[in-house]
Amino acid sequence: MTGRERKYGKKKISDNVKAGVFRWWIAGMCYFFIGFGTQSGIFADPLDMIFFLGLGLGLATLFLYNPVAYRMFDIVRKGKIYNQNYFERSGWQNAVLKLAEILKNMVLVFLIYMTYQSVNLLLERLLHLPEGTVTIPGEPIGFAVIYTIYYYLLTGLMDTVAEMRKKEEK
């Protein structure tokens, strides 16, 4: 132990925070590559962007985030370590949950799109800007922050619903 650690104490960053930063990074990476690096990022139809970004985020979550995060960190939700549930799924449960993860990411991207639209419309009205002015455009860091917040809100809501269903069954 060095003198600095003795004097100030060593603070440990929780695994949930590390997993959250990892999720934030993946969301920003996906937005950067899909939003700026593909044709869907420049199409006039936002449904293309919502679909491909939701699909890309879902696949990145399934094949990049989940295998790394659930093996590296002890992810705690509602006071319980969630990792064991991830590894104890049967084949059909795993397939259904993978499809649900992709759909969840598409819904999240739609919510983020609506958030950007609402904020831009509000600023347009408040600042008396010309119609269609984009004051806050989509960019990877802001997108990733909003995505992470919405992801944890939606996951918390889903955990609460599942907990209530278990109480009803008893």
Side-chain angles (χ1 to χ4, degrees):
M1 184 179 258
T2 66
R4 183 176 184 88
E5 290 173 338
R6 240 180 279 121
K7 185 175 181 182
Y8 297 110
K10 188 170 184 171
K11 301 210 185 240
K12 185 177 185 255
I13 298 173
S14 76
D15 282 352
N16 278 4
V17 171
K18 293 174 190 174
V21 170
F22 186 44
R23 183 174 300 283
W24 170 83
W25 182 82
I26 287 176
M29 175 200 67
C30 285
Y31 186 87
F32 179 78
F33 286 124
I34 295 171
F36 296 152
T38 65
Q39 292 296 317
S40 68
I42 60 172
F43 286 146
D45 187 10
L47 291 178
D48 291 335
M49 180 71 161
I50 291 168
F51 176 78
F52 287 112
L53 188 54
L55 180 65
L57 272 167
L59 293 174
T61 299
L62 290 173
F63 298 111
L64 183 62
Y65 177 82
N66 287 350
V68 172
Y70 286 111
R71 284 178 175 84
M72 223 170 146
F73 308 120
D74 287 333
I75 299 172
V76 179
R77 288 176 20 197
K78 299 269 186 187
K80 299 175 187 170
I81 295 178
Y82 190 72
N83 298 39
Q84 201 60 29
N85 294 347
Y86 175 75
F87 293 111
E88 292 178 350
R89 295 178 187 157
S90 65
W92 69 271
Q93 284 176 325
N94 208 14
V96 168
L97 289 171
K98 283 182 180 184
L99 286 174
E101 186 71 36
I102 291 172
L103 290 173
K104 178 169 60 171
N105 278 287
M106 287 183 182
V107 167
L108 288 170
V109 171
F110 177 76
L111 290 174
I112 294 167
Y113 170 77
M114 294 308 293
T115 300
Y116 273 109
Q117 286 293 98
S118 300
V119 169
N120 281 319
L121 284 173
L122 178 67
L123 290 173
E124 181 183 304
R125 302 278 161 92
L126 289 175
L127 302 174
H128 305 291
L129 298 170
E131 189 174 321
T133 302
V134 178
T135 310
I136 301 175
E139 46 79 33
I141 294 173
F143 175 85
V145 168
I146 297 169
Y147 172 82
T148 305
I149 291 168
Y150 282 172
Y151 188 90
Y152 285 113
L153 287 174
L154 186 60
T155 303
L157 180 65
M158 289 174 17
D159 287 346
T160 303
V161 168
E163 197 174 277
M164 291 172 64
R165 282 186 178 173
K166 283 183 183 179
K167 285 182 182 177
E168 286 179 2
E169 289 175 2
K170 290 181 182 180

